[in-house]
Amino acid sequence: MFLVKENTVLNPNTVRMTVEAPMIARKAKPGQFVIIRGDEKGERIPLTISGYDAAGGTVTVIYQTVGASTLKLAEIPAGGYLCDIVGPLGRASELDGIKKAAVVGGGLGCAIAYPQAKYLHEHGASVDIIAGFRNKDIIILEDEMRAACENLVLLTDDGSNGHKGLVTDGLKALIDAGAKYDVVIVIGPPIMMKFVCRLTKEYGIKTVVSMNPIMIDGTGMCGGCRVSVGGEMKFACVDGPDFDGHLVDFDELMKRNRMYRDEEQHDCNLFREAKEREHNA
Amino acid sequence: MPNMQTDKTVMKEQAPEIRRTNWLEVACGYTSDEAVNEAQRCLHCRNMPCVNGCPVRVKIPDFIAHVAKGDFEGAYAVIRETNALPAVCGRVCPQESQCESKCVRGIKGESVAIGRLERFCADYCADKRPEPVRAEPKGKRVAVVGSGPSGLTCAADLAKRGYDVTVFEALHTAGGVLVYGIPEFRLPKSIVSDEVKELEKLGVKIMTDVVVGRTETVDELFENGYEAVFIGSGAGLPRFMGIPGEDGNGVYSANEFLTRINLMKAYRYDYATPIKHHRRVAVVGGGNVAMDAARCAARLGAEKVYIVYRRGENELPARREEVHHAKEEGIEFRLLTNPTKINTDENGNVCSVTCISMELGEPDASGRRRPVEIPGSEHDIDVDAVIIAVGTVPNPLIRMTTSGLDTNRHGCIVTAEDGVTTTKEGVYAGGDAVTGAATVILAMGAGREAAEKIDGYLSAK
Ligand SMILES: Cc1cc2nc3c(=O)[nH]c(=O)nc-3n(C[C@H](O)[C@H](O)[C@H](O)COP(=O)(O)OP(=O)(O)OC[C@H]3O[C@@H](n4cnc5c(N)ncnc54)[C@H](O)[C@@H]3O)c2cc1C
Ligand SMILES: Cc1cc2nc3c(=O)[nH]c(=O)nc-3n(C[C@H](O)[C@H](O)[C@H](O)COP(=O)(O)OP(=O)(O)OC[C@H]3O[C@@H](n4cnc5c(N)ncnc54)[C@H](O)[C@@H]3O)c2cc1C
Ligand code: SF4
Ligand code: FES
């Protein structure tokens, strides 16, 4: 059992959770993730480590409440317990030697990209962050991101805050204005990563993406997380989750992530119904 | 005068049409009377050929003599001297190619049902186990990586010798293949957890949710005060076939399919992990893993389940009993057949698998006749899921992160003549991590051998 130190709602569907897990906190590096199982009957879900404190022995994740498991996770009060948290999993991002980087985050992807931006910034690289959100109500980590870069371009789809537009527009504008990036790191929904990669390919800029296929064990024993990279089969949980964005097959990722949609909808509705019944009683 | 009945005493089983709809154990086990009757078939051969067929050398005629007298607890004590997991071995060992293959009674009839008797004793004593005596502490710490049969056996033996043992397990439940691979209807999970509890009574600490190589490396274990390390991390990395269409929705490795079912209990609606209930399923492969996956698919309600295997009936590597059970449950065998392509519909879901027929040619390096494709024999089988059970190899995590640990080109840990001493000082290994996918009892034998070697190493240090 692992003690939940905080589980704070950041906006209506985003929660930040800090868990006591000293062994993981000691080893975590940017780009790695944990697998969490909330309760005995729960499923194992992967979440990126968005912060870690080796001295305090805690790790922090930021997650979106999109289905039954994450909704249940959000119900655990501070002082409550998680059944399991295991990690740090995946390879750490390769960040050494980078001098100038663009870190592109889409929605919740910003929480996943933030540790990388912070690491680069702290290690003397020049970092631009391009962060995109659907609207201003769901902006997260604005202050933290601002502190981790030279230049934060905040965009919203509807223009309710920052610039109106998509992250691809923001990135293109910076490149066209003369920014010379060693690397573009992009994390967000597959469709967004796909379009950013299409753009950077035109400019011939190396691009790293973080893949988020469906996972079970996260240790390389099931192959549920397999993705195609340059025509080869890779297991995202051990070979990734970071991959060369110009080599990955995003359409396949999107197709595979839809696999359990019916089952998940069912589970999620059951959970919501039960909650409503409880509420009405 | 021994009981000269030529056949084994029959063990009750759930009827095929009933068991196909539930997850309860297929084989019901002997009653006391049946066990005594079967035990009386043993001739107590002086040279004990059966014992030579047992990788951990259970004193077979000895324990059977106790059973014949109705002294089941005495029998269990004899078995436990050399076998740490009798309830497991009695159920899953391929006795037909081990102890029972050597049994004298097998020459003119059926061998003594050694496995069933072992199982009976363990089940009979499940709630009558004496409190284990803890050994005098030696004040030395040993780390065991992996809680499969090799790790559990090694840990038990070391604890009995007074070492302070910690088992590190990547998953959230201890047991290795016994919990995530072999299904409930062959090996109830409560039996595995009981065995793990016994181990804890011996003073072994089990830390789940620790991935060695990520959470802590082998080198760091030494830095943290462990004086020897046993690696029993298995061969859990699934192989795919490299044919087109393997990225389709509805294509699984057997490991994924079985893990969802056994470890995550996806077949139960009160557990959160989802699983698809497919209509027509092809399982590729002919080993125990393929049989387990096929029989699970049937229990999830599939109308039609095929085993697709490139060699013939005689070459099926699965245990005879499992093949027999699968057939009884209506699984259809498409032998001498090999998939060449998995076909998907416009949504990316599997709709069929293209196969080619094979014939057996000359024997290959393994001595088995090599299957050769028959040109022009391609045909489609209409399925909505394909489960790949063509083998597993050791996971690369430990070899990638441990200095000085040699592995061969299959990724298996290289050991000295004794089978357990690795190229790194203080590090021993055994089970599937060394041999590649093998059997429970061989993994246990290696765990025991390693405990012996570790004791020698630490005593001399
Ligand atoms: C390496 C990795 C890191 C991740 N990091 C984060 C993170 O930091 N924060 C965060 O909020 N989410 C992260 N995710 C996604 C997160 O795992 C899923 O949102 C979560 O599993 C959904 O669980 P659920 O039961 O609440 O929803 P479900 O009911 O399982 O699903 C709801 C919807 O999400 C889709 N979905 C399910 N699993 C995944 C998945 N693994 N990736 C993408 N979509 C999925 C389903 O198809 C469905 O449409 C990460 C995924 C991976 C693989
Ligand atoms: C479906 C299936 C059916 C089978 N049926 C039979 C049968 O009927 N009879 C028979 O004799 N054999 C059978 N086998 C084979 C048998 O189960 C294996 O040979 C045996 O379990 C090997 O034991 P092991 O201890 O070497 O490894 P495993 O049982 O594989 O255990 C290894 C453990 O190590 C853990 N681990 C791996 N890497 C790490 C790491 N880096 N850090 C921490 N922990 C780690 C794993 O999670 C796992 O729990 C079957 C196998 C399968 C898959
Ligand atoms: S070989 Fe068969 S009959 Fe002989 S001692 Fe062993 S079990 Fe008994
Ligand atoms: S999640 Fe199972 S192999 Fe990656």
Side-chain angles (χ1 to χ4, degrees):
Chain A
M1 300 292 261
F2 297 83
L3 177 68
V4 174
K5 296 213 124 166
E6 68 143 342
N7 206 9
T8 315
V9 174
L10 299 181
N11 70 40
N13 63 7
T14 311
V15 183
R16 182 179 63 216
M17 178 165 73
T18 300
V19 185
E20 197 170 85
M23 288 175 89
I24 305 176
R26 216 161 44 218
K27 285 301 284 281
K29 297 218 171 57
Q32 292 187 298
F33 65 96
V34 288
I35 286 206
I36 286 180
R37 194 174 68 127
D39 58 273
E40 274 300 329
K41 294 186 175 174
E43 65 179 324
R44 296 168 64 98
I45 58 169
L47 296 171
T48 304
I49 299 170
S50 75
Y52 45 89
D53 172 3
T58 60
V59 293
T60 300
V61 292
I62 297 182
Y63 59 95
Q64 236 167 353
T65 46
V66 292
S69 299
T70 43
L71 282 165
K72 267 190 224 160
L73 216 55
E75 301 245 304
I76 301 176
Y81 288 88
L82 281 181
C83 227
D84 300 281
I85 177 168
V86 54
L89 301 170
R91 285 180 197 258
S93 303
E94 289 168 21
L95 300 173
D96 294 334
I98 296 174
K99 295 207 177 54
K100 188 162 177 61
V103 176
V104 184
L108 201 272
C110 293
I112 306 180
Y114 166 69
Q116 321 209 12
K118 181 165 174 254
Y119 182 95
L120 285 170
H121 185 72
E122 283 170 359
H123 288 74
S126 145
V127 181
D128 291 344
I129 297 182
I130 301 104
F133 295 92
R134 266 197 325 273
N135 60 57
K136 72 171 180 355
D137 300 331
I138 59 167
I139 293 176
I140 48 168
L141 299 176
E142 183 175 348
D143 296 339
E144 287 89 340
M145 288 192 292
R146 206 173 289 286
C149 67
E150 251 120 82
N151 191 6
L152 174 71
V153 181
L154 198 60
L155 297 132
T156 45
D157 294 6
D158 61 359
S160 53
N161 192 347
H163 302 281
K164 180 176 162 64
L166 302 171
V167 288
T168 35
D169 306 330
L171 180 62
K172 190 170 175 356
L174 287 170
I175 299 172
D176 288 343
K180 293 262 178 292
Y181 298 116
D182 300 330
V183 65
V184 173
I185 295 169
V186 46
I187 302 173
I191 189 75
M192 167 207 147
M193 294 195 281
K194 175 177 166 170
F195 282 105
V196 170
C197 288
R198 192 171 282 181
L199 175 77
T200 55
K201 191 156 191 178
E202 280 172 33
Y203 290 91
I205 307 172
K206 178 179 166 192
T207 304
V208 176
V209 298
S210 180
M211 299 291 267
N212 60 344
I214 290 173
M215 292 187 176
I216 307 173
D217 56 300
T219 65
M221 66 162 245
C222 77
C225 65
R226 60 193 187 276
V227 292
S228 296
V229 181
E232 261 183 75
M233 184 191 289
K234 298 278 181 192
F235 290 1
C237 70
V238 284
D239 301 320
D242 285 2
F243 290 105
D244 179 342
H246 295 146
L247 296 178
V248 304
D249 184 339
F250 290 104
D251 295 334
E252 181 194 307
L253 175 72
M254 286 185 263
K255 192 183 74 188
R256 283 182 57 82
N257 275 0
R258 282 195 296 270
M259 178 150 167
Y260 290 99
R261 181 159 290 173
D262 297 346
E263 285 78 3
E264 280 155 352
Q265 285 293 331
H266 169 82
D267 232 30
C268 192
N269 291 339
L270 286 181
F271 183 77
R272 278 187 225 268
E273 277 164 29
K275 280 280 126 201
E276 271 160 30
R277 244 178 285 128
E278 208 174 275
H279 189 78
N280 295 336
Chain B
M1 184 54 200
N3 165 2
M4 290 314 286
Q5 165 195 327
T6 49
D7 290 353
K8 286 179 180 171
T9 307
V10 175
M11 174 163 60
K12 276 183 216 63
E13 285 180 350
Q14 280 197 71
E17 59 284 5
I18 300 198
R19 67 184 196 238
R20 203 180 194 274
T21 63
N22 69 43
W23 296 83
L24 302 174
E25 208 177 356
V26 167
C28 310
Y30 279 156
T31 61
S32 302
D33 289 346
E34 287 162 349
V36 170
N37 183 65
E38 182 61 21
Q40 286 169 346
R41 293 184 61 227
C42 176
L43 304 175
H44 301 284
C45 316
R46 185 129 10 104
N47 58 346
M48 303 188 287
C50 50
V51 177
N52 293 328
C54 172
V56 296
R57 302 186 63 81
V58 168
K59 294 174 188 154
I60 293 166
D62 260 19
F63 98 75
I64 294 184
H66 285 281
V67 180
K69 284 187 294 203
D71 173 17
F72 307 135
E73 290 177 50
Y76 181 67
V78 173
I79 302 172
R80 280 293 290 234
E81 283 174 32
T82 55
N83 188 334
L85 308 170
V88 174
C89 289
R91 286 175 166 82
V92 306
C93 277
Q95 288 100 5
E96 69 272 21
S97 57
Q98 299 177 1
C99 54
E100 293 183 17
S101 77
K102 302 269 165 51
C103 174
V104 171
R105 292 296 307 266
I107 301 169
K108 278 200 203 139
E110 287 185 341
S111 61
V112 173
I114 303 169
R116 292 177 186 178
L117 290 174
E118 183 177 31
R119 165 188 169 161
F120 168 80
C121 296
D123 290 356
Y124 183 88
C125 296
D127 50 6
K128 308 182 184 56
R129 297 188 186 180
E131 273 303 308
V133 227
R134 288 206 191 189
E136 197 58 42
K138 280 203 164 80
K140 290 187 174 183
R141 293 163 78 201
V142 181
V144 169
V145 181
S147 64
S150 68
L152 293 180
T153 307
C154 186
D157 280 14
L158 286 167
K160 284 185 195 152
R161 292 169 198 251
Y163 291 97
D164 177 359
V165 187
T166 308
V167 179
F168 296 98
E169 168 56 50
L171 294 173
H172 58 260
T173 310
V177 171
L178 308 180
V179 294
Y180 78 73
I182 303 181
E184 184 77 18
F185 56 81
R186 282 218 285 137
L187 179 64
K189 299 306 148 230
S190 59
I191 289 178
V192 184
S193 66
D194 284 351
E195 296 293 4
V196 171
K197 279 186 208 124
E198 281 299 295
L199 208 62
E200 285 172 322
K201 279 196 225 154
L202 277 172
V204 172
K205 288 185 280 297
I206 299 191
M207 288 191 66
T208 50
D209 295 327
V210 178
V211 184
V212 172
R214 293 274 195 236
T215 316
E216 200 126 279
T217 63
V218 171
D219 293 298
E220 284 163 343
L221 289 172
F222 282 106
E223 285 162 27
N224 295 341
Y226 291 95
E227 296 185 53
V229 176
F230 173 75
I231 301 177
S233 52
L237 184 82
R239 275 176 34 206
F240 284 83
M241 303 187 69
I243 59 175
E246 277 183 312
D247 60 348
N249 288 348
V251 182
Y252 309 82
S253 73
N255 265 10
E256 174 181 354
F257 191 69
L258 291 169
T259 300
R260 283 182 184 273
I261 292 172
N262 299 318
L263 181 69
M264 306 310 297
K265 307 220 181 319
Y267 63 92
R268 282 178 50 173
Y269 290 103
D270 53 339
Y271 281 74
T273 301
I275 193 147
K276 290 264 177 206
H277 294 258
H278 294 284
R279 231 167 30 81
R280 299 168 68 86
V281 179
V283 181
V284 185
N288 286 325
V289 184
M291 299 306 138
D292 285 343
R295 297 173 70 197
C296 283
R299 282 163 175 74
L300 284 178
E303 292 159 20
K304 192 87 215 165
V305 181
Y306 301 97
I307 290 275
V308 177
Y309 180 57
R310 65 198 183 117
R311 293 183 152 102
E313 172 98 30
N314 291 332
E315 287 78 24
L316 282 169
R319 293 180 56 201
R320 287 288 133 221
E321 185 185 335
E322 305 313 328
V323 173
H324 173 70
H325 278 151
K327 285 186 176 164
E328 281 186 336
E329 287 164 17
I331 311 288
E332 191 176 319
F333 284 64
R334 293 285 180 97
L335 301 171
L336 290 165
T337 305
N338 203 29
T340 53
K341 183 161 157 279
I342 297 164
N343 308 299
T344 50
D345 64 16
E346 64 285 358
N347 299 319
N349 297 322
V350 171
C351 57
S352 69
V353 54
T354 303
C355 296
I356 188 159
S357 302
M358 316 286 282
E359 58 191 354
L360 290 182
E362 294 298 306
D364 62 13
S366 74
R368 292 188 302 176
R369 293 176 64 192
R370 186 198 304 274
V372 225
E373 294 183 353
I374 302 174
S377 66
E378 285 88 353
H379 55 281
D380 283 3
I381 308 178
D382 165 26
V383 289
D384 56 2
V386 177
I387 300 171
I388 315 244
V390 297
T392 53
V393 291
N395 189 304
L397 259 186
I398 290 180
R399 75 167 178 263
M400 280 170 2
T401 55
T402 308
S403 62
L405 186 73
D406 287 359
T407 51
N408 67 19
R409 67 194 170 87
H410 302 294
C412 298
I413 297 173
V414 172
T415 57
E417 209 78 318
D418 62 9
V420 296
T421 306
T422 71
T423 52
K424 188 176 171 75
E425 189 187 333
V427 178
Y428 297 80
D432 287 3
V434 169
T435 56
T439 61
V440 170
I441 193 72
L442 287 173
M444 291 174 56
R448 150 143 326 132
E449 178 67 24
E452 175 105 38
K453 288 279 153 28
I454 290 172
D455 187 26
Y457 169 71
L458 292 181
S459 304
K461 211 170 124 176

